[in-house]
């Protein structure tokens, strides 16, 4: 069922696991600032922060042991930009940060585990936020310099790169809702600008890799896009059908069309934002969704594979047109609403309905819409809230069912090249702090040594991997098949 060389992985992100927030000359990131800001209640569950978290900065070898116990072929991790470049620029390099990631990468390679490395997973150096952050057009150049620095330092051993993780979440939660760092709330304006600059930054970094590193390093570069699978609430309603189409355009399409289709935003998104901008007479500006300059679309068609983070599904209904009552916001632009089907079980958090089948549908949609690209499922997981159950039978079932759907998608002809569970470890779940646990390993955050204990789902995942991964001698001598 699974092609040879299929990547069996688990994923983490720097701010969520590392701790060591000011160790060894690391610069502060926007998440350090966001969590430490005093006098503003309710940002993060119980005012928690990632100062120590799993302490992977000091306890990396424990993580490596977890990776090995699962028998992973791949490990997806992110680099802390401010640990490598404390002020965000290549003007100041922190050798201790470089050494840390070299240790991690070398250990993985020595254990025959391929690293997939994300350059940016929500933790912008605060120094760059102070220069305008992702709202500033300068970010494309700054990100490109950082990306080149990382390709240069680590690209001899890292063959799979993700430039930016979930630009949607950075834009929407960070700059529309303000529930993530940097906590900006400028509805209907800032998120579009941020998304735009992230697309430009990704394109610049991809071209740098392509022209300066690819021939020597032979790797592949993409960006990780999150999306729900969606269906019209009433399949017979024309309003709900177009609402579902808009919903997908505003999440996956926002970034996937520019990169994998036309080099520009999806028509359903463009027309919705333009129409609402005109209706609300927005400050004399034609639209709040920026346009690409003449040469940009040609530069945008830039990814070597499709990286998908899938968690859940939605039924979508129309909100009835011109919901101007919300004022200027993405919600009023979208004019559609996602609801849960009552038959879907929930896991932990309110947004996460368990719908494994949605992944197969979404993979099929990607195959049809974006010309059958190679796909890595770069995140997928199940959370626990409240009492810890090491014997997490529901999560076991979830992974079985979901991996079965991935197999079905492969049967359908989708070129799925790998699957990464979110997450290797329980960790700092952003605004939910440590109250939400996604790990294949439980972490006891009350003990200094942050002991890791395998959940039953970790054991089950290890069994699935052992059944499917090729034997130790199978692919010897062959170059790793990335795409
Ligand atoms: C992803 N939401 O982000 C991230 O890539 C991970 O860092 C994160 O831990 C994981 O999903 C689980 O949540 C999201 O609130 C963060 O809708 C928040 C949301 C969705 C995705």
């Amino acid at each position: 069922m699974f092609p040879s060389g299929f990547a069996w992985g688990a994923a983490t992100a720097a701010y969520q696991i590392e701790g060591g927030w000011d160790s060894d000359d690391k610069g502060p990131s926007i998440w350090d600032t966001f969590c430490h800001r005093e006098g503003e209640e309710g940002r993060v569950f119980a005012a928690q922060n990632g100062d120590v978290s799993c302490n992977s900065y000091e306890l990396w070898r424990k993580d490596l042991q977890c990776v090995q116990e699962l028998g992973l072929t791949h490990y997806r991790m992110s680099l802390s930009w401010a640990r490598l470049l404390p002020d965000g620029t290549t003007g100041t390099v922190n050798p201790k940060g470089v050494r840390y990631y070299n240790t991690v990468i070398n250990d993985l390679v020595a254990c025959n585990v391929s690293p997939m490395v994300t350059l940016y997973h929500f933790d912008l150096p605060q120094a760059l936020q102070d220069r305008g952050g992702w709202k500033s057009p300068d970010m494309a150049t700054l990100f490109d310099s950082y990306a080149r620095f990382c390709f240069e330092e680590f690209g001899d051993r890292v063959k799979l790169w993700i430039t930016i993780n979930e630009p949607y979440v950075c834009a929407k939660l960070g700059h529309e809702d303000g529930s993530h760092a940097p906590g900006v709330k400028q509805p209907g304006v800032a998120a579009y600008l941020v998304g735009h600059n992230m697309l430009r930054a990704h394109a610049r970094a991809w071209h740098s890799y392509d022209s300066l590193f690819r021939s020597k390093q032979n790797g592949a570069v993409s960006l990780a896009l999150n999306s729900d699978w969606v269906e019209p609430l009433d399949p017979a309603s024309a309003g709900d059908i177009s609402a579902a189409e808009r919903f997908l355009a505003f999440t996956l399409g926002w970034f996937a069309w520019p990169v994998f289709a036309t080099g520009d935003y999806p028509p359903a998104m463009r027309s919705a934002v333009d129409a609402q901008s005109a209706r609300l007479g927005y400050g004399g500006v034609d639209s709040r969704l920026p346009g690409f300059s003449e040469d940009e679309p040609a530069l945008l068609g830039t990814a070597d594979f499709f990286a998908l983070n899938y968690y859940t599904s939605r039924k979508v209904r129309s909100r009835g047109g011109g919901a101007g009552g919300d004022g200027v916001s993405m919600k009023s632009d979208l004019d559609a609403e996602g609801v849960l089907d009552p038959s879907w079980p929930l896991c932990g958090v309110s947004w996460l309905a368990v719908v494994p089948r949605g992944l197969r549908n979404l993979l099929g949609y990607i195959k049809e819409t974006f010309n059958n690209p190679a796909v890595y499922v770069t995140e997928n997981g199940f959370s626990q809230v409240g009492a810890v159950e090491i014997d997490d039978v529901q999560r076991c079932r979830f992974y079985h069912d979901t991996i079965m759907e991935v197999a079905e998608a492969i049967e359908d002809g989708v070129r799925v090249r790998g699957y990464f569970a979110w997450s290797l470890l329980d960790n700092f779940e952003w605004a939910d702090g440590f109250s939400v646990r996604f790990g294949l390993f439980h972490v006891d955050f009350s003990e200094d040594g942050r002991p890791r204990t395998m959940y039953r789902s970790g054991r089950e995942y290890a069994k699935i991997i052992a059944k499917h991964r090729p034997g130790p001698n199978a692919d010897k001598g062959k170059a790793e098949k990335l795409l």
Side-chain angles (χ1 to χ4, degrees):
M1 277 184 290
F2 295 95
S4 86
F6 191 84
W8 291 102
T12 59
Y15 186 75
Q16 294 183 270
I17 65 163
E18 284 179 6
W21 77 278
D22 65 349
S23 301
D24 290 343
D25 306 320
K26 176 182 166 292
S29 81
I30 55 174
W31 270 94
D32 295 314
T33 307
F34 188 75
C35 294
H36 292 161
R37 196 145 37 180
E38 280 169 38
E40 289 175 63
E41 292 299 309
R43 291 170 163 277
V44 176
F45 174 82
Q48 292 171 341
N49 59 58
D51 288 4
V52 183
S53 192
C54 308
N55 200 10
S56 294
Y57 187 61
E58 291 177 8
L59 302 175
W60 153 247
R61 292 270 154 80
K62 287 194 180 187
D63 297 354
L64 179 64
Q65 207 178 334
C66 296
V67 166
Q68 290 187 284
E69 280 176 39
L70 292 172
L72 302 182
T73 65
H74 287 63
Y75 177 57
R76 176 173 177 233
M77 54 183 271
S78 84
L79 307 177
S80 159
W81 188 339
R83 195 182 294 292
L84 290 165
L85 310 176
D87 73 0
T89 76
T90 47
T92 335
V93 175
N94 176 17
K96 292 168 186 158
V98 177
R99 193 170 57 206
Y100 173 66
Y101 292 117
N102 270 327
T103 302
V104 171
I105 292 166
N106 289 341
D107 282 353
L108 288 168
V109 172
C111 295
N112 213 7
V113 178
S114 305
M116 173 187 270
V117 173
T118 304
L119 296 175
Y120 184 74
H121 198 124
F122 303 175
D123 51 351
L124 191 72
Q126 181 59 41
L128 298 186
Q129 187 63 38
D130 297 342
R131 294 166 64 173
W134 286 106
K135 281 169 67 183
S136 161
D138 298 345
M139 277 303 300
T141 311
L142 290 159
F143 181 77
D144 184 39
S145 304
Y146 163 58
R148 287 180 188 204
F149 171 81
C150 296
F151 297 149
E152 182 80 50
E153 289 288 339
F154 309 117
D156 56 334
R157 290 149 291 156
V158 175
K159 301 303 161 195
L160 286 166
W161 292 99
I162 300 293
T163 54
I164 296 175
N165 180 68
E166 300 187 346
Y168 174 90
V169 171
C170 300
K172 172 79 162 47
L173 276 61
H175 299 81
E176 169 96 5
D177 310 337
S179 59
H180 275 198
V184 172
K185 272 187 210 169
Q186 290 167 351
V189 180
Y192 296 131
L193 208 53
V194 164
H196 197 71
N197 288 325
M198 288 189 146
L199 281 164
R200 294 174 56 245
H202 163 78
R204 292 281 301 271
W206 185 91
H207 280 284
S208 289
Y209 190 83
D210 197 50
S211 60
L212 302 172
F213 299 94
R214 187 187 299 283
S215 63
K216 276 175 289 178
Q217 298 184 348
N218 288 313
V221 181
S222 189
L223 76 178
L225 304 183
N226 61 294
S227 187
D228 300 345
W229 171 246
V230 300
E231 280 165 14
L233 181 63
D234 174 359
S237 148
D240 287 2
I241 291 170
S242 68
E245 191 193 320
R246 265 198 319 282
F247 194 99
L248 206 51
F250 271 77
T251 48
L252 190 68
W254 183 1
F255 301 97
W257 276 67
V259 176
F260 296 94
T262 57
D264 204 349
Y265 296 114
M269 182 181 192
R270 166 57 67 197
S271 60
V273 183
D274 286 1
Q276 193 71 332
S277 294
R279 177 163 26 214
L280 296 171
Y282 183 74
V285 177
D286 295 327
S287 175
R288 290 159 284 113
L289 183 64
F292 291 105
S293 68
E294 224 161 85
D295 52 338
E296 275 172 339
L299 295 176
L300 270 168
T302 48
D304 300 318
F305 57 94
F306 204 108
L308 175 71
N309 295 352
Y310 171 79
Y311 284 92
T312 192
S313 293
R314 290 286 182 270
K315 300 274 181 175
V316 178
R317 66 174 168 228
S318 167
R319 293 176 75 233
D326 294 324
V328 176
S329 69
M330 286 187 69
K331 194 173 164 195
S332 86
D333 292 338
L334 171 59
D335 197 27
E337 179 169 50
V339 296
L340 300 175
D341 186 303
S343 73
W344 295 336
L346 288 177
C347 83
V349 276
S350 61
W351 59 271
L352 218 176
V354 179
V355 196
R357 175 65 199 233
L359 178 55
R360 178 181 178 184
N361 295 337
L362 190 54
L363 287 167
Y365 172 86
I366 288 167
K367 169 176 179 264
E368 297 305 324
T369 312
F370 304 112
N371 195 23
N372 201 11
V375 184
Y376 284 84
V377 177
T378 37
E379 285 181 30
N380 172 251
F382 179 104
S383 62
Q384 264 186 23
V385 175
V388 168
E389 289 175 58
I390 293 290
D391 204 21
D392 54 345
V393 284
Q394 282 178 298
R395 192 190 269 134
C396 292
R397 171 108 196 257
F398 165 85
Y399 277 118
H400 269 287
D401 292 353
T402 307
I403 289 166
M404 201 62 88
E405 297 293 344
V406 173
E408 297 283 346
I410 292 170
E411 291 274 292
D412 299 340
V414 185
R415 298 169 54 221
V416 188
R417 291 293 177 260
Y419 174 86
F420 292 75
W422 182 271
S423 172
L424 181 69
L425 306 170
D426 286 345
N427 60 46
F428 179 78
E429 176 54 21
W430 308 115
D432 287 321
F434 298 102
S435 68
V436 172
R437 295 174 179 270
F438 271 98
L440 293 164
F441 283 80
H442 173 265
V443 177
D444 184 345
F445 295 101
S446 69
E447 286 200 39
D448 278 350
R450 300 295 194 268
R452 284 95 159 120
T453 308
M454 203 189 250
Y455 286 105
R456 180 170 174 166
S457 56
R459 278 209 314 276
E460 290 301 315
Y461 189 42
K463 278 191 218 157
I464 294 172
I465 296 173
K467 196 164 131 200
H468 295 290
R469 83 176 268 178
N473 300 316
D475 273 329
K476 276 243 170 88
K478 271 197 221 153
E480 193 183 354
K481 193 168 173 240
L482 299 174
L483 304 177

